[in-house]
Amino acid sequence: MRCEILHDGQAFGALAGEWAQLAHDADAGLFLSHRWLEAWWRAYRGIDELWMLIARDGERLAGAWPLHLRAPRSGALRMSELRLVGDLGGGGQRSILCRPAEVDAVVEAFLATLDGERGWDLLEAPIATRRTADAIERAVARDNTRGIKSDLSEVPGRAYADLPPPDRWDEFLRARRPTRTLPGAVYAQAESAERGLEELLRLLRKEWTAREAASPAADPQAVAFLGDLVPELHAKGQARLGLLSFDGAKPGSAVAADLVVVDGERQVQLLRGADPEHLQAGAPIELAVYELEAAVDAGARRFEFAPSDGDSPLKAATSRTLRLRLWNRTTVGRLHRGVMSLAGAMRGIEGSGSIPRALDRLRGAAPDVVQRAVARVATYATLHLYRGELFTRDVREAGDLRIRLLPREDFEKLSESERDEFAARLDLQPGYCRQKWDRGDTVVLAEVAGRPAGIVWCARAAVYVPDIGREVRPGAGECYIHDVYVHPDERGRQVAPAMLDFLARELRARDVYRAWALIERTNVASTRAFEKA
């Protein structure tokens, strides 16, 4: 098996026939088809550099890894990154194209070629199966002299819904449709792909302007890609543009629109835009209902929603995606890998004095590029990061210690004086408590002899953490434990481990199996509590 890297788009275009056969044998789907990738590269050429890895067994095309090199743009570490060609809106779930029986040989050829190239620092791409991931890890570990390092992690993907057969559509919808509706809304599929795209892009610009963020429609390369490919897919029945408007409204006045493409038995909502004036009224929900029904009528088995900063329009699960990272032996590549692993390494470093030494080692490794990067990472050096599986330890509630959930209604039943005393004993403010309950937090209360002894606050929604200046957003099956407090009189009685054990049982019953926590390194009591838990 031999491998070459194509940097010329015309050379890739000449592979259309061979690529089609390989894609058929590998069940590649839409996002790794030659037409999709060619259209994407035609729109983006001149912006990035094509790095198309091609593996051949003799003269036969055995494998392909369609990548492009993103030149350094900004940031403390100006890295050259290899990314998947054509991954618009995160629709791609895999990046390596080969026949199942040839995975090991193709992967070995790819890594041997990448190992000899110094023009890239980081490769990040989705991997479809554990078998492919295992082949990559074996190939990396097989040759100890190879400079490439790898990391494979499972990350949250798109929200999705598994679809019912048509005769169970009504039952399916009743279980998922929210109470909010948009009276008078009318759905139609755009007869003209050009008109549908025009409406979608208009709504995307309007929605993202209201968010004060960069719209996907602001990327001229993405717009060119859609304008090239979508009309063809639309004509073949592989794409539809949905428009939601009010009954009797004039053309060009849609309040929501989307682009859905067909990829085998799944349908993927690549883009969705809504008029900000109709967001709260439920325009995305109405659009999602119609699109799901269209997908069911077409015989689709799964529908994936477009990425969104907020919640999914309807009740949906969140997929998990295998993400591969490969670091090259370059100075920037080695430094980036060290920076990414630093937060995890903090957990294993004993004593705060080791952290400055670790940062000093990084500074010495590449003084010309590391200063700004380490300065940013160093702001996290006062925190522990815990990522633990929620196993129960069967911690016994000793004597007069009682652990229970604390719903908001129990808090509100207290008189004003009782509420103030309760909050003061647990180092809380009533307003803080109500704010967290409004968000839907789970609260565990410990009592000793009927008096509050400790409390744990746990969030499954986004939480802003001032210490790191950003939100923590738990994925599906995850939670964030953001407050643990034990009254000084009750410390030393295993109150915190008992509360965490109780919380683990409650969360496991709700299909939550992983917890995250950030703890100041000087907080010895909380550190020990989490270590025990």
Side-chain angles (χ1 to χ4, degrees), residues 372-444:
R372 285 178 295 169
V374 170
R376 295 179 66 183
V377 174
T379 62
Y380 295 83
T382 59
L383 302 173
H384 286 293
L385 172 65
Y386 280 89
R387 168 189 162 190
E389 305 299 329
L390 287 172
F391 298 115
T392 55
R393 303 300 200 278
D394 197 26
V395 177
R396 302 294 181 180
E397 298 175 19
D400 51 1
L401 175 63
R402 180 193 175 205
I403 311 292
R404 64 182 178 92
L405 290 177
L406 179 63
R408 179 170 183 165
E409 50 264 34
D410 286 3
F411 180 78
E412 299 293 357
K413 287 177 183 177
L414 299 174
S415 67
E416 185 174 352
S417 60
E418 290 174 332
R419 192 179 301 121
D420 290 341
E421 180 182 354
F422 176 94
R425 183 168 174 81
L426 295 177
D427 199 27
L428 295 169
Q429 296 292 330
Y432 176 91
C433 299
R434 293 190 178 98
Q435 178 188 11
K436 305 309 176 188
W437 269 309
D438 286 342
R439 192 175 56 198
D441 285 10
T442 302
V443 186
V444 173

Side-chain angles (χ1 to χ4, degrees), residues 7-265:
H7 300 294
D8 181 15
Q10 291 184 348
F12 169 59
L15 293 175
E18 293 179 280
W19 193 283
Q21 182 60 54
L22 177 61
H24 176 271
D25 295 345
D27 193 20
L30 175 65
F31 299 107
L32 284 181
S33 67
H34 190 274
R35 180 69 180 96
W36 180 277
L37 299 173
E38 184 185 38
W40 191 93
W41 181 248
R42 191 158 50 235
Y44 279 86
R45 68 180 185 274
I47 305 297
D48 295 326
E49 182 182 355
L50 187 66
W51 277 52
M52 184 75 65
L53 274 70
I54 300 298
R56 291 189 178 277
D57 183 7
E59 296 302 317
R60 180 177 60 88
L61 182 63
W65 206 351
L67 304 173
H68 66 105
L69 184 70
R70 297 180 59 195
R73 284 170 165 80
S74 61
L77 292 179
R78 296 179 60 81
M79 291 195 303
S80 296
E81 301 178 43
L82 288 172
R83 296 296 180 97
L84 174 63
V85 170
D87 192 16
L88 180 69
Q93 295 180 317
R94 60 189 290 192
S95 58
I96 294 180
L97 180 64
C98 68
R99 298 171 181 87
E102 297 179 310
V103 168
D104 289 275
V106 168
V107 164
E108 177 65 35
F110 286 159
L111 291 188
T113 299
L114 286 172
D115 191 40
E117 297 287 336
R118 298 298 296 271
W120 64 280
D121 302 309
L122 170 69
L123 187 159
E124 185 169 343
I127 296 297
T129 64
R130 177 62 63 175
R131 178 180 177 182
T132 303
D134 290 343
I136 292 171
E137 292 184 334
R138 286 194 298 269
V140 171
R142 189 175 297 122
D143 187 350
N144 292 330
T145 64
R146 184 167 285 164
I148 293 177
K149 303 297 181 183
S150 68
D151 174 73
L152 188 72
S153 59
E154 193 178 69
V155 297
R158 286 170 167 263
Y160 73 94
D162 289 324
L163 301 178
D167 59 354
R168 297 188 62 186
W169 163 250
D170 292 338
E171 176 187 347
F172 171 86
L173 183 59
R174 281 195 300 271
R176 285 164 177 79
R177 185 184 178 97
T179 56
R180 293 187 301 174
T181 59
L182 196 65
V186 176
Y187 169 82
Q189 295 181 21
E191 295 182 2
S192 164
E194 289 78 9
R195 175 180 173 262
L197 272 176
E198 182 181 347
E199 281 290 271
L200 174 59
L201 296 174
R202 176 183 67 83
L203 289 167
L204 280 170
R205 287 191 293 268
K206 193 171 184 179
E207 178 182 347
W208 287 81
T209 298
R211 295 185 186 184
E212 297 183 351
S215 165
D219 183 350
Q221 281 74 38
V223 173
F225 166 72
L226 294 171
D228 178 14
L229 186 62
V230 170
E232 179 182 327
L233 295 178
H234 184 265
K236 293 179 178 180
Q238 291 182 278
R240 66 175 177 270
L241 288 142
L243 302 174
L244 190 74
S245 58
F246 289 110
D247 191 13
K250 63 180 180 180
S253 58
V255 297
D258 67 353
L259 169 63
V260 177
V261 296
V262 179
D263 183 27
E265 293 187 333

Side-chain angles (χ1 to χ4, degrees), residues 163 169 172 187-190 239-244 256-261 267-269 271-272 283-298 300 302-305 314:
L163 301 178
W169 163 250
F172 171 86
Y187 169 82
Q189 295 181 21
R240 66 175 177 270
L241 288 142
L243 302 174
L244 190 74
D258 67 353
L259 169 63
V260 177
V261 296
Q267 295 196 1
V268 181
Q269 188 184 48
L271 295 169
R272 181 185 69 234
I285 295 172
E286 291 294 327
L287 183 62
V289 170
Y290 285 115
E291 290 295 7
L292 285 171
E293 186 173 15
V296 168
D297 291 341
R302 177 167 169 154
F303 188 90
E304 297 182 8
F305 295 95
L314 294 173

